[in-house]
């Protein structure tokens, strides 16, 4: 976990990845383990995210007013995007108060 600033908001950024071969509690799809259920928050806004095998979630948690703004980018091994290119997009964000 590292301190970061995105669009004028300060916070932290961390990368989350399931270790290959790890046996973790998971959601199921058609009876087969599918994903590690990572984040959940229902009030005041819905936030439900999971990490699957072969995926890295980069999570930015930014201080905003009296709460936290979450920004997630996900690098799936089989997709063309990379954490580097996706993070460049996040660095371009600008927030207003």
């Amino acid at each position: 976990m590292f301190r970061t600033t995105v669009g004028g908001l300060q916070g932290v950024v961390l990368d989350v990845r399931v270790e290959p071969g790890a046996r973790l509690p998971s959601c199921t799809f058609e009876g087969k383990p599918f994903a590690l259920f990572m984040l959940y928050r229902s009030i005041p806004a819905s936030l439900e995210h999971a990490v699957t095998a072969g995926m890295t979630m980069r999570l930015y948690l930014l201080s905003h007013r009296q709460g936290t703004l979450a920004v997630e980018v996900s690098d799936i091994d089989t997709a063309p995007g990379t954490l580097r290119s996706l993070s460049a997009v996040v660095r371009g964000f600008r927030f207003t108060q």
Side-chain angles (χ1 to χ4, degrees), residues 24-77:
L24 301 169
S26 60
C27 302
T28 58
F29 179 72
E30 295 181 354
K32 297 178 185 174
F34 175 69
L36 169 64
F37 196 56
M38 175 69 190
L39 301 169
Y40 176 79
R41 172 75 174 165
S42 62
I43 298 173
S46 177
L47 177 66
E48 299 176 20
H49 297 265
V51 177
T52 64
M55 167 188 165
T56 303
M57 173 194 290
R58 179 160 289 169
L59 186 61
Y60 297 83
L61 299 172
L62 307 170
S63 180
H64 185 269
R65 298 183 182 156
Q66 271 58 57
T68 303
L69 174 67
V71 177
E72 173 197 332
V73 294
S74 297
D75 176 6
I76 300 169
D77 292 350

